[in-house]
């Protein structure tokens, strides 16, 4: 059985580790690497999309990073319990027309006993910015 440490139940230290690991993985823009943090039967809500399973996660991420160029993400621990973590985040990217955006949002994560994320619910808002307004 695959495991993704640290495992629940989380402490403040291990919850912060999980958040940093997620930030690092997403900033790699490697869909395979990112998907390994999720259970085979993971369930996502991302904006208005519903994504189920690792394969759909990989397809989603391939498409995301094709459209969100020069992607850079920052996550912050907001709260945690035994097997759940809430984060706030912001990320910046530009589209194929060279328009920059900053996206703000919150995610709620639920982990299985092996430390794999079973559920990810993301609420995200995009704000157009100029290149000079970038901060990440």
């Amino acid at each position: 059985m695959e495991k993704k440490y640290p495992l629940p139940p989380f402490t403040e230290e291990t919850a912060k580790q999980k958040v940093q690991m997620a930030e690092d993985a997403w900033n790699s823009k490697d869909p395979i690497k990112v998907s390994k943090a999720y259970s085979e039967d993971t369930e996502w809500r991302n904006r208005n999309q519903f994504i189920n399973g690792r394969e759909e996660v990989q397809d989603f991420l391939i498409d995301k990073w094709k459209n969100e160029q020069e992607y850079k993400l920052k996550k912050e621990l907001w709260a945690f319990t035994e097997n759940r973590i809430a984060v706030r985040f912001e990320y910046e990217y530009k589209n194929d027309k060279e328009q920059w955006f900053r996206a703000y949002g919150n995610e709620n994560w639920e982990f299985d006993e092996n430390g794999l994320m079973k559920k990810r619910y993301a609420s995200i808002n995009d704000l157009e910015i100029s290149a000079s307004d970038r901060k990440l």
Side-chain angles (χ1 to χ4, degrees), residues 19-82:
V19 172
Q20 187 62 58
M21 291 168 63
E23 178 183 307
D24 293 345
W26 280 68
N27 279 325
S28 77
K29 297 180 280 301
D30 179 340
I32 304 298
K33 178 180 182 178
V34 172
S35 72
K36 301 257 183 198
Y38 301 92
S39 64
E40 289 287 341
D41 61 348
T42 192
E43 297 174 14
W44 285 23
R45 183 189 48 76
N46 194 85
R47 289 186 168 97
N48 64 347
Q49 292 180 278
F50 293 87
I51 301 159
N52 294 290
R54 269 193 198 161
E55 193 170 312
E56 285 187 21
V57 166
Q58 291 170 9
D59 292 342
F60 168 82
L61 293 172
I62 289 166
D63 188 54
K64 174 183 181 65
W65 290 318
K66 198 181 304 175
N67 296 312
E68 296 181 3
Q69 301 160 17
E70 296 189 44
Y71 175 93
K72 178 72 174 159
L73 167 73
K74 181 66 183 149
K75 290 186 182 280
E76 176 188 1
L77 176 66
W78 193 256
F80 69 94
T81 62
E82 303 243 338

Side-chain angles (χ1 to χ4, degrees), residues 15 32 92 102 110 113:
I32 304 298
E92 295 175 346
R102 184 173 303 117
E110 182 177 293
E113 65 278 358

Side-chain angles (χ1 to χ4, degrees), residues 5 8 30 55 90 98 101:
Y5 293 91
D30 179 340
E55 193 170 312
E90 61 183 316
E98 301 293 316
F101 295 87

Side-chain angles (χ1 to χ4, degrees), residues 74-136:
K74 181 66 183 149
K75 290 186 182 280
E76 176 188 1
L77 176 66
W78 193 256
F80 69 94
T81 62
E82 303 243 338
N83 70 328
R84 293 180 174 168
I85 296 176
V87 299
R88 67 152 298 279
F89 64 87
E90 61 183 316
Y91 65 88
E92 295 175 346
Y93 66 93
K94 68 178 180 178
N95 64 16
D96 59 358
K97 295 178 177 105
E98 301 293 316
Q99 173 61 57
W100 281 93
F101 295 87
R102 184 173 303 117
Y104 296 96
N106 301 293
E107 292 177 329
N108 296 313
W109 302 340
E110 182 177 293
F111 295 86
D112 67 16
E113 65 278 358
N114 296 308
L116 297 168
M117 196 181 302
K118 274 196 77 69
K119 296 184 181 182
R120 175 186 173 266
Y121 301 113
S123 297
I124 307 168
N125 300 300
D126 295 300
L127 173 68
E128 283 190 17
I129 61 172
S130 65
S132 62
D133 289 332
R134 293 178 57 211
K135 62 181 185 177
L136 295 180

